[in-house]
Amino acid sequence: MPIPTPHGEVLQDLVIRDAPIREKLAQEAQSLPVLKLTDRQLCDLELILNGGFSPLNGFLNEDDYTSVVEEMRLTSIKDEKTGKGLLWPIPITFDVNAETAQKLAVGSRVVLQDSRDEKNLAILTVQSIYQPNKQNEAAKVFRGDPEHPAVKYLIETAGDVYIGGSIQALAYPTHYDYVDLRKTPSELREEFARLGWDLQKIVAFQTRNPMHRAHRELTVRAAEDIGADGHILVHPVVGLTKPGDIDHHTRVKVYQQILKKYPEGLATISLLPLAMRMGGDREALWHALIRMNYGVDHFIVGRDHAGPGKNSQGVDFYGPYDAQELLAQVEDEINHKIKIVPFRMVTYLPEEDRYAPIDTIDVTKVKTANISGTELRQRLRDGSEIPAWFSYPEVVQILRESYPPRYSQGFAVVIKSTDKLGEFFSTALQSILNQHSGGRRVTKLDDSNSSSYLVNEFVKGGNGVIVLLNADIAPIAAAVGKDNLIVVLANPEDSNGAQHFVLSEDIVGTLAAVNAYLKEQGFHA
């Protein structure tokens, strides 16, 4: 199966398309109003500019938005094969606040600017200004649970007005990290041709997590299953993912090591600047269409693909096989271009020292072994062994560098007091903590030099920080995180979810309690 044509038949690389008029557009941009992009908008715009979101050449107007929310289809572009609106499951919208919207009108032209470096990226011609029904969007696209991260973003963060319109390109966003791995759809298609894969089969593996030996095994098996001419594209997301996910720098270092573990010529890697919505079944279809644009003809879809897990009541946001079921419903429309490869979970067989698909063994008769994500995090936290059968030593080393054990992590003790008692306590606590081994430096800051940025830099560097604070705790709590924060002299509701202690005249007792807590949590070597 050769490299498929893009979704909608034409790869909408707007930077290539608009190259002949770029100088004219850049000159016009100097006199146009500017809209700075949010992090999500920046990711979305990059994939509009490079063709990853083909057939889109802009942000959805109201008619397309409504149709995507209700029917998972565009109204403005038809599928030549079926005559229906072309499949598109996730609304790609440009949200602004009401004040900004009032300054715009249909026909207006505005510059979209990267807020990181103030680089002009595109000119948007406004075709539609509309106020969405966010509750309906939340219900139809993401199932409506208010705890779903995309729903929370939609209700709490996104602007209340959407601007639809076409894009003319000035430039791709500038990236300074992993530049050689950030391949556009055009570049990746050229690479496939260069490798001689353009008339062979390529299966893409989507991930937002580190890869271990089991992932390497399942992707190799997926390539073998599709034929002797099968190849693998490791295509991880490095845009916005689920809050709390491992940072992309750590993950990319892991992927680079994993790539060395494949047989020569079997696999390649490219980074995808996607802002995930964690949209379950709809997102799985979206991911498949995006991979079609990148020139891939097979796509691995796993259990609970792109699902954010469970809510606070322990209820799954999506069923485990919702994604496969939705993709089966639209198989006739996409199967001529991209085929879905069901994820085959593999497990380790310690008595045979090999991995095997779990559906090929009798687990009642054969011993198996596995390490869950929760257990892996605990082993990183306490520094205990991560066996070689689970992950490669090079990968474990990277994870340990980014997520050191507790006794090497930094922490902050915030003392919400600037009176003499607080000063006495901070001096005594610094003396007690500096007696412990492990090489951690314990620094004391006062209210005048205790910005959340500075405190977090100390903590990230593995230091202990004692902060005498008279201001709001919230900025420091948000920066450091509750797991590495202890608050002294705070009501429970003021502690921002962190462990807290109340300071009294019994300084010795409070010192003992704080010290015991740090020891219990593993901060002392």
Side-chain angles (χ1 to χ4, degrees):
M1 187 172 178
I3 290 177
T5 57
H7 192 41
E9 303 307 318
V10 177
L11 185 65
Q12 299 287 343
D13 189 317
L14 306 189
V15 172
I16 294 175
R17 183 199 68 184
D18 295 337
I21 58 170
R22 184 167 302 128
E23 194 172 314
K24 178 181 176 182
L25 292 172
Q27 188 172 9
E28 180 190 2
Q30 300 303 312
S31 61
L32 294 176
V34 170
L35 294 178
K36 293 186 182 294
L37 299 161
T38 66
D39 290 343
R40 177 182 284 190
Q41 290 168 350
L42 180 63
C43 289
D44 287 350
L45 179 63
E46 181 167 3
L47 285 164
I48 292 172
L49 291 173
N50 72 18
F53 281 173
S54 296
L56 304 189
N57 60 11
F59 292 95
L60 297 187
N61 60 37
E62 187 170 10
D63 288 343
D64 274 332
Y65 163 78
T66 300
S67 182
V68 167
V69 169
E70 300 291 339
E71 306 290 341
M72 296 195 303
R73 296 182 183 278
L74 300 166
T75 60
S76 57
I77 305 172
K78 302 296 183 184
D79 186 325
E80 294 181 2
K81 182 181 176 185
T82 66
K84 300 177 182 177
L86 200 64
L87 279 170
W88 194 265
I90 300 291
I92 307 301
T93 55
F94 192 86
D95 60 287
V96 299
N97 58 36
E99 181 181 358
T100 300
Q102 289 174 357
K103 299 175 183 177
L104 301 173
V106 172
S108 300
R109 285 169 66 79
V110 294
V111 175
L112 303 184
Q113 190 177 87
D114 190 334
S115 59
R116 302 171 304 168
D117 57 8
E118 297 189 345
K119 179 181 179 181
N120 292 337
L121 301 179
I123 295 176
L124 169 68
T125 300
V126 178
Q127 297 171 335
S128 184
I129 302 172
Y130 56 102
Q131 189 164 353
N133 181 336
K134 288 188 175 184
Q135 294 298 334
N136 185 59
E137 181 180 341
K140 296 287 177 61
V141 181
F142 305 111
R143 310 281 180 89
D145 189 318
E147 294 184 29
H148 190 294
V151 174
K152 288 177 69 67
Y153 182 93
L154 183 64
I155 303 302
E156 299 174 9
T157 303
D160 291 331
V161 181
Y162 290 172
I163 306 299
S166 60
I167 294 294
Q168 289 178 294
L170 294 168
Y172 302 124
T174 300
H175 296 287
Y176 299 97
D177 59 340
Y178 315 111
V179 175
D180 292 343
L181 301 182
R182 295 178 178 272
K183 302 159 191 171
T184 68
S186 297
E187 291 169 341
L188 196 55
R189 285 167 172 266
E190 290 171 3
E191 179 177 319
F192 292 156
R194 209 164 47 244
L195 292 170
W197 296 4
D198 50 327
L199 296 178
Q200 300 186 26
K201 301 183 182 77
I202 305 167
V203 60
F205 179 60
Q206 149 90 24
T207 181
R208 60 175 228 280
N209 294 307
M211 291 177 68
H212 302 288
R213 288 185 60 129
H215 301 101
R216 185 262 186 201
E217 293 295 326
L218 76 89
T219 51
V220 169
R221 288 178 182 276
E224 291 172 347
D225 288 347
I226 63 176
D229 57 348
H231 298 280
I232 301 162
L233 170 65
V234 179
H235 207 201
V237 171
V238 294
L240 302 182
T241 61
K242 180 183 175 182
D245 278 353
I246 289 177
D247 67 279
H248 81 271
H249 291 287
T250 299
R251 292 189 288 111
V252 173
K253 292 171 188 173
V254 166
Y255 304 141
Q256 289 173 314
Q257 291 300 323
I258 289 288
L259 204 65
K260 299 175 184 177
K261 307 300 181 182
Y262 287 104
E264 187 174 355
L266 181 64
T268 190
I269 184 172
S270 182
L271 308 183
L272 181 66
L274 180 71
M276 289 186 68
R277 273 62 164 178
M278 306 305 299
D281 49 359
R282 280 195 181 220
E283 180 134 352
L285 173 57
W286 190 40
H287 289 174
L289 299 179
I290 291 168
R291 269 45 183 233
M292 187 189 301
N293 292 329
Y294 275 87
V296 171
D297 62 346
H298 288 76
F299 180 54
I300 297 171
V301 174
R303 186 181 186 278
D304 194 26
H305 186 104
K310 302 176 185 292
N311 64 17
S312 61
Q313 304 302 310
V315 178
D316 291 313
F317 290 102
Y318 299 95
Y321 302 108
D322 286 359
Q324 287 93 330
E325 290 170 6
L326 175 60
L327 286 159
Q329 292 173 21
V330 299
E331 182 178 9
D332 289 346
E333 292 187 56
I334 66 173
N335 201 41
H336 63 297
K337 288 189 177 182
I338 192 164
K339 297 183 184 298
I340 304 305
V341 179
F343 179 101
R344 295 186 72 193
M345 183 177 176
V346 297
T347 189
Y348 182 65
L349 310 180
E351 294 176 346
E352 303 176 43
D353 189 27
R354 68 182 181 92
Y355 277 86
I358 198 167
D359 59 0
T360 65
I361 59 174
D362 185 348
V363 295
T364 64
K365 298 178 180 179
V366 179
K367 185 178 180 181
T368 64
N370 190 30
I371 293 178
S372 68
T374 300
E375 184 179 352
L376 174 62
R377 288 189 291 273
Q378 182 59 42
R379 287 174 184 248
L380 290 170
R381 178 188 175 102
D382 60 26
S384 59
E385 180 193 10
I386 298 172
W389 62 259
F390 173 76
S391 195
Y392 298 101
E394 301 93 330
V395 169
V396 173
Q397 182 180 346
I398 292 167
L399 294 177
R400 290 204 187 281
E401 289 172 355
S402 296
Y403 297 89
R406 277 293 222 188
Y407 56 76
S408 296
Q409 290 180 24
F411 61 84
V413 180
V414 175
I415 304 167
K416 193 72 163 62
S417 169
T418 56
D419 60 15
K420 292 293 183 182
L421 189 62
E423 290 179 12
F424 295 156
F425 180 80
S426 65
T427 300
L429 183 62
Q430 186 179 27
S431 296
I432 286 177
L433 296 181
N434 273 327
Q435 73 182 325
H436 295 289
S437 61
R440 182 188 287 113
R441 179 181 179 183
V442 179
T443 303
K444 191 167 69 169
L445 303 174
D446 61 26
D447 207 42
S448 64
N449 59 3
S450 58
S451 71
S452 59
Y453 172 78
L454 183 61
V455 172
N456 193 39
E457 286 299 301
F458 273 111
V459 172
K460 286 195 299 184
N463 301 294
V465 189
I466 299 170
V467 185
L468 270 169
L469 191 68
N470 195 33
D472 185 14
I473 296 170
I476 291 178
V480 173
K482 67 178 182 179
D483 290 342
N484 293 67
L485 177 68
I486 301 98
V487 179
V488 178
L489 193 59
N491 295 321
E493 60 268 22
D494 296 330
S495 64
N496 289 268
Q499 178 67 26
H500 66 278
F501 300 88
V502 176
L503 179 61
S504 67
E505 295 294 334
D506 180 16
I507 288 181
V508 174
T510 309
L511 287 170
V514 172
N515 191 41
Y517 175 76
L518 289 168
K519 182 178 181 181
E520 173 190 319
Q521 293 298 307
F523 284 108
H524 295 339

